[in-house]
Coordinates of all heavy atoms in Angstrom, one line a residue:
D828 N -108.8 60.8 -6.5 CA -109.3 59.5 -6.6 C -108.2 58.4 -6.7 O -108.3 57.5 -7.5 CB -110.3 59.3 -7.8 CG -111.6 60.0 -7.6 OD1 -112.0 60.2 -6.4 OD2 -112.2 60.5 -8.6
Q829 N -107.1 58.6 -5.9 CA -106.1 57.6 -5.9 C -106.1 56.9 -4.5 O -106.9 57.2 -3.6 CB -104.7 58.3 -6.1 CG -104.6 58.9 -7.4 CD -104.7 58.0 -8.6 OE1 -104.2 56.9 -8.6 NE2 -105.4 58.4 -9.6
Y830 N -105.3 55.8 -4.4 CA -105.3 55.0 -3.2 C -103.8 55.0 -2.7 O -102.9 54.8 -3.4 CB -105.8 53.6 -3.5 CG -105.7 52.7 -2.3 CD1 -106.6 52.8 -1.3 CD2 -104.7 51.7 -2.2 CE1 -106.6 52.0 -0.2 CE2 -104.7 50.8 -1.1 CZ -105.6 51.0 -0.1 OH -105.6 50.1 1.0
V831 N -103.7 55.2 -1.4 CA -102.4 55.1 -0.7 C -102.6 54.3 0.6 O -103.5 54.6 1.4 CB -101.8 56.5 -0.4 CG1 -100.5 56.4 0.5 CG2 -101.5 57.3 -1.7
Q832 N -101.7 53.3 0.8 CA -101.8 52.5 2.0 C -100.5 52.5 2.8 O -99.4 52.7 2.2 CB -102.2 51.1 1.6 CG -101.1 50.4 0.8 CD -101.5 49.0 0.5 OE1 -102.6 48.5 0.8 NE2 -100.6 48.3 -0.2
V833 N -100.6 52.3 4.1 CA -99.4 52.0 4.9 C -99.6 50.6 5.4 O -100.6 50.2 5.9 CB -99.5 53.0 6.1 CG1 -98.3 52.7 7.1 CG2 -99.5 54.4 5.7
Q834 N -98.5 49.9 5.2 CA -98.5 48.5 5.8 C -97.2 48.3 6.5 O -96.1 48.7 6.0 CB -98.6 47.5 4.6 CG -100.0 47.5 4.0 CD -100.3 46.2 3.3 OE1 -100.2 45.1 3.9 NE2 -100.7 46.3 2.0
Q835 N -97.3 47.5 7.6 CA -96.1 47.2 8.4 C -96.2 45.7 8.7 O -97.3 45.2 8.9 CB -96.0 48.0 9.7 CG -95.6 49.4 9.5 CD -95.6 50.1 10.8 OE1 -96.6 50.4 11.4 NE2 -94.3 50.4 11.2
S836 N -95.1 45.0 8.8 CA -95.1 43.6 9.1 C -93.8 43.1 9.6 O -92.7 43.7 9.2 CB -95.6 42.8 7.9 OG -95.7 41.4 8.3
T837 N -93.8 42.0 10.4 CA -92.6 41.4 10.8 C -92.2 40.2 9.8 O -91.3 39.5 10.0 CB -92.7 40.8 12.2 OG1 -93.8 39.9 12.3 CG2 -92.8 41.9 13.2
R838 N -93.1 40.0 8.8 CA -92.8 39.0 7.8 C -91.5 39.2 7.1 O -91.0 40.3 7.1 CB -94.0 39.1 6.8 CG -94.0 37.9 5.9 CD -95.3 38.0 5.0 NE -95.5 36.8 4.3 CZ -96.4 36.6 3.4 NH1 -97.3 37.6 3.2 NH2 -96.5 35.5 2.7
K839 N -91.0 38.2 6.5 CA -89.7 38.3 5.8 C -89.8 39.4 4.8 O -90.7 39.5 4.0 CB -89.4 37.0 5.0 CG -88.2 36.9 4.2 CD -88.0 35.6 3.5 CE -86.7 35.7 2.7 NZ -86.6 34.5 1.9
P840 N -88.9 40.4 4.8 CA -89.1 41.7 4.1 C -89.3 41.4 2.6 O -90.1 42.1 2.0 CB -87.8 42.4 4.3 CG -87.4 42.0 5.7 CD -87.7 40.5 5.7
S841 N -88.5 40.6 1.9 CA -88.7 40.4 0.5 C -90.1 39.9 0.1 O -90.7 40.4 -0.9 CB -87.6 39.4 -0.1 OG -87.8 38.2 0.5
V842 N -90.6 39.0 0.9 CA -92.0 38.5 0.6 C -93.0 39.6 0.9 O -94.0 39.9 0.1 CB -92.3 37.2 1.4 CG1 -93.7 36.8 1.3 CG2 -91.3 36.1 1.1
F843 N -92.9 40.3 2.0 CA -93.8 41.3 2.5 C -93.8 42.5 1.5 O -94.9 42.9 1.1 CB -93.5 41.8 3.9 CG -94.3 42.9 4.3 CD1 -95.7 42.8 4.5 CD2 -93.8 44.2 4.5 CE1 -96.5 43.9 4.9 CE2 -94.5 45.2 4.9 CZ -95.9 45.1 5.1
I844 N -92.7 42.9 1.1 CA -92.6 44.1 0.2 C -93.2 43.7 -1.2 O -94.0 44.5 -1.7 CB -91.1 44.6 0.0 CG1 -90.6 45.1 1.3 CG2 -91.0 45.6 -1.1 CD1 -89.1 45.3 1.3
D845 N -93.0 42.6 -1.7 CA -93.5 42.1 -2.9 C -95.1 42.1 -2.9 O -95.7 42.6 -3.8 CB -93.0 40.8 -3.3 CG -93.5 40.4 -4.7 OD1 -93.1 41.1 -5.7 OD2 -94.2 39.3 -4.8
E846 N -95.6 41.6 -1.8 CA -97.0 41.5 -1.6 C -97.6 42.9 -1.4 O -98.6 43.3 -2.0 CB -97.4 40.6 -0.4 CG -98.8 40.4 -0.2 CD -99.0 39.5 1.0 OE1 -98.8 38.3 0.9 OE2 -99.5 40.0 2.1
A847 N -97.1 43.7 -0.5 CA -97.6 45.0 -0.2 C -97.5 46.0 -1.4 O -98.4 46.9 -1.5 CB -96.9 45.6 1.0
S848 N -96.5 45.9 -2.2 CA -96.3 46.8 -3.3 C -96.9 46.2 -4.6 O -96.7 46.8 -5.7 CB -94.8 47.1 -3.5 OG -94.2 45.9 -4.0
Q849 N -97.5 45.0 -4.5 CA -98.1 44.3 -5.7 C -97.0 44.1 -6.8 O -97.3 44.4 -8.0 CB -99.3 45.0 -6.2 CG -100.4 45.0 -5.1 CD -101.8 45.2 -5.7 OE1 -102.0 45.3 -6.9 NE2 -102.8 45.2 -4.8
G850 N -95.9 43.6 -6.4 CA -94.8 43.3 -7.4 C -93.9 44.4 -7.8 O -93.2 44.2 -8.8
A851 N -94.0 45.5 -7.2 CA -93.1 46.6 -7.6 C -91.6 46.2 -7.4 O -91.4 45.4 -6.5 CB -93.4 47.9 -6.9
T852 N -90.7 46.8 -8.1 CA -89.3 46.4 -8.0 C -88.5 47.6 -7.5 O -88.8 48.8 -7.8 CB -88.7 46.0 -9.3 OG1 -88.9 47.0 -10.3 CG2 -89.3 44.7 -9.8
A853 N -87.5 47.3 -6.7 CA -86.7 48.4 -6.1 C -85.9 49.2 -7.2 O -85.5 48.6 -8.2 CB -85.7 47.8 -5.1
T854 N -85.7 50.5 -6.9 CA -84.9 51.3 -7.7 C -83.7 51.7 -6.9 O -83.6 51.3 -5.8 CB -85.7 52.6 -8.2 OG1 -85.9 53.4 -7.0 CG2 -87.0 52.3 -8.8
D855 N -82.8 52.4 -7.5 CA -81.6 52.9 -6.8 C -81.8 54.2 -6.1 O -81.0 54.8 -5.5 CB -80.4 53.1 -7.8 CG -79.9 51.8 -8.4 OD1 -80.1 50.7 -7.7 OD2 -79.4 51.7 -9.5
V856 N -83.1 54.7 -6.2 CA -83.4 56.0 -5.6 C -83.8 55.8 -4.2 O -84.7 55.0 -3.9 CB -84.6 56.7 -6.5 CG1 -84.9 58.0 -5.9 CG2 -84.2 56.8 -7.9
T857 N -83.2 56.6 -3.3 CA -83.7 56.7 -1.9 C -84.0 58.1 -1.6 O -83.5 59.1 -2.2 CB -82.6 56.2 -0.9 OG1 -81.4 57.1 -1.1 CG2 -82.2 54.8 -1.2
E858 N -85.0 58.3 -0.6 CA -85.4 59.6 -0.2 C -85.3 59.8 1.3 O -85.7 58.8 2.0 CB -86.9 59.8 -0.6 CG -87.1 59.9 -2.1 CD -88.6 60.2 -2.4 OE1 -89.2 61.1 -1.7 OE2 -89.1 59.6 -3.3
E859 N -84.8 60.9 1.7 CA -84.8 61.2 3.1 C -86.2 61.8 3.5 O -86.5 62.9 3.0 CB -83.7 62.2 3.5 CG -82.4 61.6 3.7 CD -82.3 60.6 4.9 OE1 -82.7 60.9 6.0 OE2 -81.8 59.5 4.6
I860 N -87.0 61.1 4.2 CA -88.3 61.6 4.6 C -88.4 61.5 6.1 O -88.3 60.3 6.7 CB -89.4 60.8 3.9 CG1 -89.2 60.9 2.4 CG2 -90.8 61.4 4.3 CD1 -90.2 59.9 1.7
G861 N -88.6 62.5 6.8 CA -88.7 62.5 8.3 C -87.5 61.9 9.0 O -87.7 61.2 10.0
G862 N -86.3 62.2 8.4 CA -85.1 61.7 9.0 C -84.8 60.2 8.8 O -83.9 59.6 9.4
R863 N -85.6 59.6 7.9 CA -85.4 58.2 7.6 C -85.2 58.0 6.1 O -85.7 58.8 5.3 CB -86.6 57.4 8.0 CG -86.9 57.4 9.5 CD -88.1 56.5 9.8 NE -88.4 56.7 11.2 CZ -89.3 57.5 11.7 NH1 -89.9 58.3 10.9 NH2 -89.5 57.5 13.0
S864 N -84.4 57.0 5.8 CA -84.1 56.7 4.4 C -85.1 55.7 3.8 O -85.0 54.5 4.1 CB -82.6 56.2 4.3 OG -82.3 56.0 2.9
W865 N -85.9 56.1 2.8 CA -86.9 55.3 2.2 C -86.4 54.9 0.8 O -85.9 55.8 0.1 CB -88.2 56.1 2.0 CG -88.9 56.4 3.3 CD1 -88.6 57.4 4.2 CD2 -90.0 55.8 3.9 NE1 -89.4 57.4 5.3 CE2 -90.4 56.4 5.1 CE3 -90.8 54.7 3.5 CZ2 -91.4 56.0 5.9 CZ3 -91.9 54.3 4.3 CH2 -92.2 55.0 5.5
T866 N -86.6 53.7 0.4 CA -86.3 53.3 -1.0 C -87.5 53.3 -1.9 O -88.6 52.8 -1.5 CB -85.7 51.8 -0.9 OG1 -84.6 51.8 0.0 CG2 -85.2 51.4 -2.3
R867 N -87.3 53.8 -3.1 CA -88.4 53.9 -4.1 C -88.5 52.5 -4.8 O -87.5 51.9 -5.2 CB -88.1 54.9 -5.1 CG -88.7 56.2 -4.9 CD -88.6 57.1 -6.1 NE -89.1 58.4 -5.8 CZ -89.5 59.3 -6.7 NH1 -89.6 59.0 -7.9 NH2 -89.9 60.5 -6.3
Y868 N -89.8 52.1 -4.9 CA -90.1 50.9 -5.7 C -91.1 51.3 -6.8 O -92.0 52.2 -6.5 CB -90.8 49.8 -4.9 CG -89.8 49.0 -4.0 CD1 -89.0 49.6 -3.0 CD2 -89.7 47.6 -4.2 CE1 -88.2 48.8 -2.3 CE2 -88.8 46.8 -3.5 CZ -88.1 47.4 -2.5 OH -87.2 46.7 -1.8
E869 N -90.9 50.8 -8.0 CA -91.8 51.2 -9.1 C -92.4 49.9 -9.6 O -91.8 48.9 -9.8 CB -91.0 51.9 -10.2 CG -90.5 53.2 -9.8 CD -89.8 54.0 -10.9 OE1 -89.5 53.4 -12.0 OE2 -89.4 55.1 -10.7
G870 N -93.7 50.0 -10.0 CA -94.4 48.8 -10.5 C -95.5 49.2 -11.4 O -95.8 50.4 -11.6
G871 N -96.1 48.2 -12.0 CA -97.2 48.4 -13.0 C -98.5 48.9 -12.3 O -99.2 49.8 -12.8

């Protein structure tokens, strides 16, 4: 019973990430997933 969404946009990244992640903040942790480097964000 959890929710996971995928969102993509050409909007300014800082504004878009804040909106899509509902205010989560970037961490120093990155993950290699599917040959791409993803940054972890944690939020309330």
Side-chain angles (χ1 to χ4, degrees):
D828 292 329
Q829 297 300 317
Y830 178 73
V831 173
Q832 66 181 1
V833 176
Q834 289 200 57
Q835 290 180 285
S836 181
T837 57
R838 191 173 189 184
K839 182 180 175 187
S841 60
V842 174
F843 174 65
I844 293 167
D845 186 60
E846 185 178 285
S848 70
Q849 296 200 4
T852 55
T854 68
D855 293 331
V856 179
T857 59
E858 293 184 43
E859 277 298 310
I860 304 169
R863 297 181 185 93
S864 183
W865 294 77
T866 303
R867 268 192 186 202
Y868 279 64
E869 293 180 354

